[in-house]
Amino acid sequence: MESWIEWARGPAFRLALALLLLGLLRHVLLTVIGVREAMRKAGDKVLPGKRIRAAVLSWLFPVKRLGTRTVFSTASVIFHLGALLTPLFLLTHVVLVRESIGLSWPTLPPLGADLLTLAALLGLAVMLAIRVASRPVRVLSRFGDYALLVLTALPFLTGFLLAHPAWNPIPFGPAMLLHVLSADLLMALIPFTKLVHIALLPATQLVSEVGWHFIPDAGEQVARTLGKENQPI
Amino acid sequence: MERKLPYYTEPFERTGLARRFLDAFAAILTHSNYDLILDAYARLGTRCSRCTDLCQVYQATGRTEDIPCHRSELLLRVYRRYFTAPGRWKGRLFESFTLTDEHIYEMAESFYRCTACRRCKLECPMGIDHGLMTHLGRWILAEIDIIPKALLVSVREQLEGETKNTSAIPVPALIDNCQFLEEEFEEIYGVPVKFPIDVTGAEWVFFPAVSDYLLEPDTLMGVAAVMHVTKGSWTIGTGNFDGINYGLFYSDRMLGRIVRNEAKEVRRLRAGGVLVGECGHATRSATFLATYAAEDPPKLLNILQYTHRAWKEGRLGLKKGVIEERTTYHDPCNIARTNWIVEEPREILRHICADYVDMVPNRSENYCCGGGGGTVSIDEIREFRTGIGGKRKAQQIRDTGARYVVAPCANCKKQLREVCEDHGLSEVQVVGLHDLILKAIDWEALKAEAKAGPGAEPTAAAPPPGAETGKEES
Ligand code: SF4
């Protein structure tokens, strides 16, 4: 068991982290290049910067969004808060990093960490419940949507149990292994699933605007490729 | 058995549909910028269903097929399977999605149930623009000749027909029409208002929805009256007098050709720019002058902006509160979704109407009239347009209790009249903004002025409050 845990937080973790960071970096770079390329070819070079910024900010800090779909929106916001803050600022995580590479940063107080973890779990539970119970989301959902919700919950759930041995029904070893492995898997999957929005969300409003910036001779080129150049309408 | 579509098309080749669809898709991907958005959208869809809160079609039917995200997924699935590496591998290794005729017909139906109003984008956390997916989906379908006949024949007449406009109005008829309206001015108001035709060197060439010449004389007279009072430099060009651009609704290829023709007419008349009449999609499609006439794009102004500016600057007097009946305003999606032209008409309406009320929601959050995206021209789907697409709008109108619904858009007007008819709102009148402006101009003063002879300053009515602080909008 010990050696498995060592493997999961050693080589497997490093691989997952590399996949995560390189994967996200690749997406960001491809998007930046794609946008520049598209704008270079577009006839109209002007983008509505102010509107794009406003839209991006309204989703990054979705205070005003809480008004619509209040339960879902609130669940989503508290999940995101917990999911972003806890893994990065948990004392035990920071200690691990310090021991291995010497870097260190401020940490969350234990109560804060507990509350944020529970918030993340509660948020996930509510989102899952809505996905099952509300018709339009249910009919849109596919296996992957449920699987990702469950997979995302695992590291938080096991992490919480590890921090509170008194409530933990599973022995420490398997719980730790499950915790680290599920986190590894989640990190590795982020660039390949819809979770890639972690990196791309700020870009999508821009991408959508660029989408309306057409290439002046695209139509003629398409006609040529399809052999329709001189065809009457 | 041949699958029936809800709208008429011209006969099209029914064999090899899937292959030809993919060829067209591939050609479009190669030569356009759509790859960028498809790639992003294919990864990012979170299937959260927030968009269902916003779509008037889904709200009316509750059908899975009408969920905006579901509709976009129809096209994204094809993209993923045939145009991304993982999709192609998956297709090779497992039994996965294959493009069938059935799927194509489903898209052909679905993309014309969406009015491309882009309301749903407001609530998509991932910023997915389903209206843009509809726009692209329709173009690909058009390249395999699946196009509503109503749109196709209009564009054919406009680009390759004799009359070069979507209503097939010959130039002599246009001139007659304008002369008739000039006579009306003389008769009703005793003021010599002109419709200048083919004047070279004017500041603006006027591009209304050409159907206005047949259906909306009051709107046109309102425009001409404003131009008269403000001494505006404008002209109607006989080479091209149609602002309608159904290319926006089904094919970028046609969109570009129609826009270039507008620029050509402006150049022929050595004018400064394009002045679009009361029409939402005509205005938005003219913004593509910056794309298709990029070398030397003509200026672009919508008549609402022109009139508002003149009024603010004190060059156009409008009587306060002359419209006594309750009045409300419908925001055409194509000029309001991005909050582009929303305050100008409201400021004028609040001034000239004694009882102005807004619909809720409004401005960028307005509901589509239900006939957007060119669907209003498809007469055979009227039941769908007014019963489903326009259901929410009918309720909104009823809630205001208004007698006048002002809709500065030829398409919205036609659709809203049908919506009112089919929903028992017989007392409601759907009008253009300039129809009401016509009533708010001080004709007595103008008449006196006309009598006093040329040279007298127009002083039709008192300038609006705050005229001197009126800011320039670009
Ligand atoms: S663009 Fe408008 S009609 Fe189309 S799916 Fe979105 S809200 Fe519905």
Side-chain angles (χ1 to χ4, degrees):
Chain A
M1 183 59 65
E2 265 309 295
S3 59
W4 276 104
I5 296 176
E6 271 320 303
W7 174 81
R9 45 185 205 202
F13 173 76
R14 281 194 289 274
L15 178 67
L17 189 65
L19 278 174
L20 170 70
L21 295 180
L22 292 176
L24 292 185
L25 186 69
R26 176 172 169 273
H27 279 302
V28 171
L29 283 179
L30 285 180
T31 307
V32 171
I33 294 170
V35 165
R36 291 186 60 146
E37 207 29 34
M39 286 310 288
R40 191 182 59 76
K41 293 194 236 154
D44 180 2
K45 309 282 183 201
V46 184
L47 280 166
K50 226 166 93 191
R51 202 167 73 230
I52 296 173
R53 265 193 305 280
V56 173
L57 289 178
S58 83
W59 286 109
L60 281 184
F61 305 100
V63 197
K64 286 203 194 116
R65 303 287 178 178
L66 294 177
T68 27
R69 299 257 172 132
T70 307
V71 180
F72 179 86
S73 306
T74 317
S76 171
V77 167
I78 64 171
F79 157 72
H80 279 89
L81 276 180
L84 277 174
L85 297 177
T86 334
L88 286 177
F89 298 102
L90 191 77
L91 179 65
T92 45
H93 288 180
V94 177
V95 168
L96 276 177
V97 174
R98 188 168 57 214
E99 280 169 4
S100 69
I101 56 169
L103 273 179
S104 174
W105 53 83
T107 57
L108 286 166
L111 180 66
D114 277 355
L115 287 178
L116 280 172
T117 309
L118 289 176
L121 284 169
L122 181 70
L124 280 171
V126 173
M127 289 198 288
L128 182 65
I130 291 178
R131 206 168 262 286
V132 179
S134 153
R135 202 195 76 92
V137 218
R138 189 176 62 237
V139 295
L140 289 174
S141 299
R142 293 192 242 126
F143 172 75
D145 297 310
Y146 294 105
L148 276 181
L149 276 175
V150 173
L151 179 63
T152 312
L154 268 183
F156 292 94
L157 185 65
T158 48
F160 187 79
L161 293 178
L162 286 167
H164 301 275
W167 298 340
N168 189 357
I170 329 172
F172 178 82
M176 181 55 96
L177 186 61
L178 194 58
H179 177 67
V180 185
L181 274 184
S182 58
D184 288 353
L185 186 60
L186 186 61
M187 288 193 327
L189 281 181
I190 285 173
F192 303 99
T193 58
K194 64 180 180 180
L195 300 183
V196 69
H197 72 263
I198 291 174
L200 291 189
L201 185 88
T204 54
Q205 302 286 346
L206 170 67
V207 167
S208 284
E209 285 299 337
V210 174
W212 286 105
H213 283 63
F214 304 148
I215 303 174
D217 65 345
E220 286 67 33
Q221 300 277 7
V222 168
R224 199 160 308 142
T225 306
L226 297 174
K228 293 183 175 184
E229 293 156 281
N230 300 314
Q231 258 178 35
I233 296 170
Chain B
M1 203 192 78
E2 278 198 355
R3 158 106 180 216
K4 258 184 81 90
L5 287 167
Y7 44 83
Y8 302 133
T9 61
E10 293 194 338
F12 59 91
E13 180 57 55
R14 301 245 176 184
T15 53
L17 268 187
R19 188 186 44 75
R20 284 184 295 116
F21 185 91
L22 291 174
D23 286 349
F25 202 166
I28 289 174
L29 283 179
T30 312
H31 299 297
S32 73
N33 276 337
Y34 287 112
D35 210 11
L36 182 72
I37 48 155
L38 287 167
D39 184 65
Y41 293 178
R43 291 174 201 287
L44 284 168
T46 49
R47 293 171 289 281
C48 67
S49 92
R50 282 180 88 98
C51 51
T52 55
D53 289 359
L54 280 92
C55 176
Q56 75 278 1
V57 177
Y58 176 78
Q59 284 176 7
T61 67
R63 279 178 35 175
T64 306
E65 291 74 19
D66 289 325
I67 299 175
C69 199
H70 180 277
R71 171 177 299 113
S72 295
E73 184 60 24
L74 294 176
L75 190 62
L76 290 173
R77 200 180 301 158
V78 182
Y79 174 75
R80 258 192 234 106
R81 165 65 181 79
Y82 294 95
F83 299 101
T84 66
R88 275 195 295 257
W89 277 108
K90 220 167 115 192
R92 235 167 265 167
L93 297 175
F94 312 102
E95 226 183 297
S96 69
F97 167 76
T98 318
L99 181 63
T100 57
D101 290 4
E102 193 48 41
H103 190 83
I104 290 174
Y105 289 123
E106 197 181 334
M107 289 192 281
E109 176 164 354
S110 185
F111 288 136
Y112 283 94
R113 288 175 75 85
C114 167
T115 61
C117 72
R118 303 195 297 153
R119 188 165 195 267
C120 48
K121 176 169 184 275
L122 299 173
E123 273 298 319
C124 181
M126 298 298 140
I128 294 178
D129 189 337
H130 300 292
L132 182 53
M133 287 290 94
T134 293
H135 178 92
L136 170 60
R138 289 179 179 190
W139 184 15
I140 307 171
L141 288 166
E143 295 299 352
I144 60 170
D145 302 321
I146 301 184
I147 309 163
K149 194 171 172 186
L151 300 181
L152 177 67
V153 293
S154 297
V155 167
R156 180 182 290 145
E157 183 60 29
Q158 189 177 23
L159 285 173
E160 294 172 358
E162 294 242 310
T163 62
K164 300 266 181 286
N165 67 80
T166 51
S167 291
I169 303 175
V171 171
L174 169 84
I175 295 173
D176 267 1
N177 197 314
C178 291
Q179 273 165 1
F180 172 75
L181 294 178
E182 287 174 356
E183 283 158 22
E184 290 275 283
F185 271 118
E186 286 283 2
E187 237 165 70
I188 306 174
Y189 305 109
V191 178
V193 174
K194 292 280 166 238
F195 283 84
I197 294 192
D198 276 343
V199 177
T200 36
E203 188 179 6
W204 301 108
V205 180
F206 184 54
F207 287 94
V210 77
S211 50
D212 283 4
Y213 288 108
L214 304 175
L215 305 169
E216 309 290 345
D218 285 357
T219 309
L220 290 176
M221 286 175 76
V223 170
V226 166
M227 292 321 251
H228 173 81
V229 176
T230 60
K231 299 204 159 79
S233 159
W234 70 306
T235 186
I236 296 165
T238 53
N240 185 353
F241 45 93
D242 187 2
I244 286 179
N245 190 337
Y246 288 163
L248 182 68
F249 299 146
Y250 82 84
S251 162
D252 288 2
R253 191 141 74 86
M254 302 305 147
L255 171 74
R257 288 176 64 179
I258 297 167
V259 168
R260 285 194 194 102
N261 280 353
E262 281 179 10
K264 211 168 105 194
E265 182 69 349
V266 173
R267 250 174 266 134
R268 179 182 79 87
L269 292 166
R270 290 198 294 279
V274 168
L275 179 66
V276 187
E278 290 197 13
C279 186
H281 94 279
T283 310
R284 176 147 167 260
S285 47
T287 62
F288 288 97
L289 284 163
T291 298
Y292 297 108
E295 334 70 57
D296 180 22
K299 291 186 295 181
L300 169 65
L301 200 68
N302 173 281
I303 187 68
L304 304 185
Q305 297 171 306
Y306 178 93
T307 300
H308 176 260
R309 188 184 295 173
W311 172 64
K312 274 286 183 191
E313 290 171 359
R315 292 186 285 120
L316 170 70
L318 295 173
K319 290 190 273 183
K320 197 168 165 44
V322 279
I323 312 296
E324 283 166 10
E325 296 91 338
R326 176 167 290 183
T327 305
T328 188
Y329 180 74
H330 163 75
D331 286 284
C333 301
N334 280 309
I335 57 173
R337 186 67 65 227
T338 56
N339 261 325
W340 179 24
I341 307 173
V342 290
E343 300 306 336
E344 291 89 338
R346 285 187 167 77
E347 284 180 27
I348 295 175
L349 284 170
R350 281 204 202 95
H351 177 76
I352 64 174
C353 299
D355 185 10
Y356 174 78
V357 284
D358 256 323
M359 290 185 202
V360 200
N362 53 52
R363 295 178 171 84
S364 64
E365 293 173 20
N366 83 312
Y367 273 105
C368 174
C369 60
T375 58
V376 66
S377 302
I378 310 173
D379 281 324
E380 60 272 23
I381 59 168
R382 170 159 175 169
E383 206 176 311
F384 165 77
R385 269 194 288 116
T386 62
I388 292 171
K391 191 173 162 197
R392 178 56 59 133
K393 196 84 238 174
Q395 192 54 46
Q396 268 190 301
I397 294 173
R398 183 168 289 130
D399 289 346
T400 62
R403 167 80 200 286
Y404 282 124
V405 175
V406 176
C409 171
N411 286 336
C412 298
K413 268 189 253 182
K414 172 172 187 278
Q415 162 76 2
L416 290 177
R417 283 182 191 134
E418 294 176 356
V419 164
C420 288
E421 210 174 296
D422 295 356
H423 287 270
L425 292 160
S426 49
E427 68 296 348
V428 174
Q429 268 198 53
V430 180
V431 294
L433 180 69
H434 284 79
D435 305 31
L436 298 188
I437 286 179
L438 195 59
K439 301 185 194 215
I441 287 176
D442 189 344
W443 291 103
E444 286 312 311
L446 284 174
K447 202 160 135 189
E449 219 169 78
K451 282 227 178 81
E457 280 299 298
T459 50
E468 51 295 329
T469 59
K471 58 176 190 296
E472 275 276 303
E473 255 139 348
S474 56

